[in-house]
Amino acid sequence: MKKAAGGIEQKYGIGTTLCVAACAGQAWREKKPVWDRQRCFKCGMCWLACPDAAVRPVDQGFYDSDPERCKGCGMCAAVCWNDAITMAPEKV
Amino acid sequence: MESLQESDIFMDRYSVFAPRLLPQEEDFVAGLRSCPGCGRAMAVRIIAKALAHSRRYPYGSPAGQLRDSGLPYSGWWLFDGKSFAPAPKAAADRIAAAAGEASSLDQGLALCAEARKKKQPFLYICFFNEAGIERHSASAGPGYYPDRTCGILQRFEKMQACLKKAKAAKPDYFATACPAYPFDCIEKISAALRCGGTGFIGMLVPCPTGCLYDPALSLDSGKRAVDTGLFPLYEAAKGSCTLTVAATAPASCYTRLQPLVPAISGRELEQIQNLADKNLRGLSGRKTTISST
């Protein structure tokens, strides 16, 4: 990758090991979905709507997100019929 | 929707758990290149679900795996060869679908024509990026104007030009779909596979990065484009053309969501509304001959 001195590549460490480390730690994700099991009625709409196949079924038919795959887009929260999913800020 | 029929309300109430009936195994391999809220990634995943029962996989993709990658890496790597390469007999039934961007429309239609000549079932799914990032082959000139009012008009006019071109190729099954209506999408793919001949599905994929709206609104944007009639969902088979999702919302419903588009004057909004009306006028209640067979 061609790097310009003082450019965006240097600032954000693109093309260096910094970006790889940032991805591994999900430092780029601002929000993450949190399920409220009291409100969730296990319809599976969040599972279907996730463009990254990050929502997976867990125990008792509930759903949760895979932190390795989730990009924090919030589509699962947007399609939830019963507002059971909230997007919580990611702690870095 | 104000004008919901009784049957629609019934379906609305009981289709809540419909995702549970879909295949639970995951053929889609989530890519790291697609943007958050990518409409195309969701479309690919829905296609994987729709094809899971038939155990048929798109041309060019490894069996059991569907991958997606984001622009500018030219998305779905399905058009490996320039012609419809016949597969070994054992794997012939696997070749059921191919997909590509609208920029490769000519190539896809050529594959369709070749499959038709060989009397092989073939489904071509063409993705139309909402932001019009790809270059459309159906009409000349630049197409990427997400920051102008005329951009909305141009984008959707070009999509309609592409669809017109595909319709002129006379596939046995022709439909439009959008991942914002996933079950409609799955039904259409299944119908296209059932018809046994060549099929074409034009799919509008919302693009939050291209249009610069919140990724969470990705499906909402697709829904609005459909509900306003800018990209009506319909299917055409056996000589009849039917609208599958009612489009009753005004065009301003869609333009309101576009943050890049500045304040729209009444005249410009009227032009967009005219386009939506034109799209719907050509469809509702009209019998159209699609296939000569």
Side-chain angles (χ1 to χ4, degrees):
Chain A
M1 179 178 282
K2 193 180 175 183
K3 282 193 276 185
I8 193 168
E9 289 88 356
Q10 195 178 350
K11 188 177 175 187
Y12 294 105
I14 298 169
T16 65
T17 49
L18 283 175
C19 61
V20 179
C23 268
Q26 277 84 44
W28 43 268
R29 191 174 55 209
E30 290 181 354
K31 292 176 180 177
K32 62 177 177 186
V34 179
W35 273 257
D36 178 359
R37 290 198 173 189
Q38 300 294 324
R39 294 186 71 90
C40 176
F41 51 80
K42 310 170 189 176
C43 65
M45 206 57 207
C46 51
W47 168 78
L48 181 64
C50 181
D52 292 299
V55 178
R56 57 194 176 175
V58 287
D59 58 322
Q60 297 169 24
F62 287 106
Y63 291 89
D64 203 350
S65 71
D66 181 353
E68 295 288 319
R69 289 182 174 185
C70 179
K71 289 172 186 160
C73 65
M75 272 165 79
C76 49
V79 297
C80 184
W81 297 95
N82 206 25
D83 296 332
I85 306 170
T86 44
M87 297 303 290
E90 185 78 61
K91 287 172 190 169
V92 182
Chain B
M1 291 282 170
E2 298 94 26
S3 57
L4 271 178
Q5 303 255 330
E6 198 178 327
S7 58
D8 290 336
I9 295 168
F10 181 84
M11 278 308 293
D12 248 20
R13 197 175 297 160
Y14 292 99
S15 66
V16 170
F17 295 96
R20 288 271 185 187
L21 302 173
L22 295 175
Q24 298 292 308
E25 66 265 27
E26 209 57 72
D27 285 346
F28 172 71
V29 180
L32 290 171
R33 283 174 175 177
S34 62
C35 310
C38 178
R40 191 180 48 194
M42 194 194 165
V44 173
R45 190 160 169 254
I46 288 171
I47 293 165
K49 296 279 173 212
L51 295 176
H53 284 311
S54 65
R55 310 307 299 169
R56 289 174 170 183
Y57 296 102
Y59 178 61
S61 75
Q65 283 191 346
L66 291 170
R67 291 172 186 276
D68 183 61
S69 56
L71 289 165
Y73 302 102
S74 192
W76 219 1
W77 298 94
L78 294 181
F79 293 123
D80 293 339
K82 283 194 174 178
S83 68
F84 184 72
K89 275 187 181 176
D93 61 335
R94 284 180 171 269
I95 300 171
E101 289 286 338
S103 53
S104 56
L105 183 73
D106 290 332
Q107 207 178 350
L109 291 178
L111 286 177
C112 239
E114 210 166 326
R116 189 175 193 158
K117 211 182 285 175
K118 290 179 180 173
K119 293 184 178 171
Q120 195 158 359
F122 190 76
L123 169 62
Y124 172 43
I125 300 164
C126 182
F127 296 138
F128 295 104
N129 190 296
E130 185 194 14
I133 290 172
E134 77 273 351
R135 206 170 142 265
H136 292 239
S137 57
S139 51
Y144 185 47
Y145 291 125
D147 57 341
R148 296 187 196 172
T149 315
C150 65
I152 294 178
L153 257 181
Q154 266 196 337
R155 270 139 52 185
F156 284 99
E157 268 174 0
K158 285 189 177 184
M159 283 176 206
Q160 293 305 324
C162 285
L163 289 174
K164 201 176 168 188
K165 193 173 179 180
K167 209 182 270 185
K170 295 180 179 173
D172 297 316
Y173 180 87
F174 181 93
T176 53
C178 180
Y181 287 93
F183 304 113
D184 174 77
C185 209
I186 290 170
E187 271 175 31
K188 281 172 180 168
I189 293 167
S190 306
L193 291 176
R194 269 200 310 273
C195 92
T198 51
F200 177 91
I201 296 178
M203 202 175 282
L204 173 74
V205 287
C207 183
T209 307
C211 296
L212 279 188
Y213 52 75
D214 186 357
L217 300 174
S218 185
L219 291 185
D220 192 25
S221 176
K223 258 185 193 171
R224 284 172 190 235
V226 170
D227 293 347
T228 52
L230 284 168
F231 193 89
L233 298 191
Y234 62 96
E235 65 178 349
K238 294 176 185 171
S240 65
C241 208
T242 28
L243 207 63
T244 52
V245 176
T248 49
S252 57
C253 186
Y254 176 77
T255 55
R256 216 179 294 145
L257 201 70
Q258 304 293 320
L260 279 180
V261 175
I264 297 177
S265 70
R267 192 176 148 270
E268 288 160 340
L269 192 61
E270 199 179 322
Q271 283 179 335
I272 297 170
Q273 183 65 56
N274 285 346
L275 174 69
D277 292 344
K278 189 182 153 196
N279 292 344
L280 291 169
R281 209 169 29 240
L283 288 172
S284 48
R286 195 181 133 193
K287 298 272 178 189
T288 319
T289 306
I290 298 298
S291 174
S292 56
T293 53

